[in-house]
Amino acid sequence: MSEKVSASDELKPKTDRNAMLHSIRLWLMTVPFLILAVLFCYLPLFGWIYAFFDYQPPIPLSESKFVGLQWFKMLVANPAQLHAIGQVLINTFVMSGLNILTSFFPLIFAIALNEIRAKWFRNLIQTLTTLPNFISWVLVYSVAFAMFSSTGMVNELLQNMHWISQPIKFLDSDSLTWVKMLLWGIWKGLGWGSILYLAGLAGIDQELYEAAQVDGANRWQQIIHITIPQLLPTYFVLLMLSISNFLNNGMDQYFVFQNAFNMQHIQVLDLYVYNIGIGQNSLSLATAISMLKSLVSVFLLWLVNWLSKRTRGESIV
């Protein structure tokens, strides 16, 4: 008996040492990503200092005049600036709201894709819908211009069929700008957004479906009572992350589609910051607006994390 106890006592330090070495290896694997996060996410925050100076390139920051909160005060003191920011916020809220309202599209698409029995056809659809994610917005606009401009394929076809006498202004008009941007975003990101749900579908216990079949459930009932409930946790996490990024619409899509006709409704906050900073050469004001946007985003992330704890008992961070 004593020999067995002594042998187990000898194995215990080795087990603890192996577990510690394994933990160290796992931590070392995360170090490169932590370094990238610091370099690209936290180090650029040093640029917030420009919001407190009257910076005019190429004058060095050390020679620029310190103005304190002047740019922040100007955001609320200037009526014209306040009106412009109000319209920009409306555009941002509407576009973000539409994206959240349609956030279940990738979930539905993944379920529909999973129901396709022909593997070659399922792989073909998945490939064709995922490829647009890897196409830059510049190329997307090139496709849109070739198809929907006044001299594009769609207008030429409609005129040749004598359905219209004048070209329809799909791109150079302010009509339904929000809907157009939403549709282009869905087309580009639908396949890519469904990948997480497809991975979730692969992880569902098949015994649940077998038990449902024994109980007489058809395929539609299995989707309603098994597939969707199993994917809802993933959906809610992605939804809350989307809410925390409510003010971050991105700039690329709106930048390439903007023109003099649709500027009023296409200019979201990220594009407005770019136009102020680069277009109007007011980098300090653009930095102040971007700084406020980042602080609001952090607050939204904290808020949805708190709501997640209160409603679901789980946090996302």
Side-chain angles (χ1 to χ4, degrees), residues 200-219:
L201 286 169
I204 297 177
D205 189 356
Q206 295 301 311
E207 292 184 357
L208 296 175
Y209 293 105
E210 295 173 0
Q213 290 175 359
V214 171
D215 291 338
N218 56 35
R219 196 61 189 173

Side-chain angles (χ1 to χ4, degrees), residues 75 78-92 263-264 267-269 272 276 280 289:
L75 292 177
N78 189 335
Q81 187 77 32
L82 198 60
H83 180 268
I85 293 178
Q87 181 60 49
V88 168
L89 289 177
I90 291 175
N91 298 336
T92 304
M263 183 61 72
Q264 180 180 359
Q267 191 169 219
V268 294
L269 195 54
Y272 180 71
I276 290 291
Q280 301 182 18
I289 299 173

Side-chain angles (χ1 to χ4, degrees), residues 251-295:
M251 188 200 73
D252 299 355
Q253 175 185 1
Y254 308 97
F255 177 76
V256 297
F257 278 93
Q258 70 173 341
N259 53 57
F261 302 97
N262 61 13
M263 183 61 72
Q264 180 180 359
H265 291 102
I266 201 173
Q267 191 169 219
V268 294
L269 195 54
D270 289 322
L271 179 59
Y272 180 71
V273 170
Y274 174 84
N275 289 334
I276 290 291
I278 305 300
Q280 301 182 18
N281 197 28
S282 183
L283 296 178
S284 296
L285 178 59
T287 304
I289 299 173
S290 181
M291 182 178 176
L292 292 176
K293 188 198 75 169
S294 299
L295 293 176

Side-chain angles (χ1 to χ4, degrees), residues 151-190:
T151 57
M153 183 183 69
V154 174
N155 274 312
E156 290 287 344
L157 179 62
L158 294 176
Q159 286 178 312
N160 291 336
M161 298 176 66
H162 303 288
W163 287 7
I164 59 174
S165 58
Q166 297 293 331
I168 300 175
K169 296 182 178 180
F170 292 104
L171 299 178
D172 51 350
S173 72
D174 199 26
S175 176
L176 300 176
T177 300
W178 296 332
V179 176
K180 294 175 187 175
M181 293 299 99
L182 175 67
L183 293 177
W184 282 112
I186 291 175
W187 173 79
K188 193 174 188 297
L190 182 63

Side-chain angles (χ1 to χ4, degrees), residues 53-74:
F53 288 83
D54 185 12
Y55 176 70
Q56 296 294 331
I59 301 175
L61 183 64
S62 58
E63 300 178 11
S64 299
K65 180 182 177 181
F66 179 79
V67 295
L69 301 176
Q70 171 185 318
W71 300 112
F72 298 94
K73 294 177 181 178
M74 195 184 77

Side-chain angles (χ1 to χ4, degrees), residues 91-103 105 177-182 186 246:
N91 298 336
T92 304
F93 290 167
V94 171
M95 288 307 308
S96 296
L98 291 174
N99 287 329
I100 290 175
L101 288 176
T102 57
S103 61
F105 283 9
T177 300
W178 296 332
V179 176
K180 294 175 187 175
M181 293 299 99
L182 175 67
I186 291 175
F246 195 79

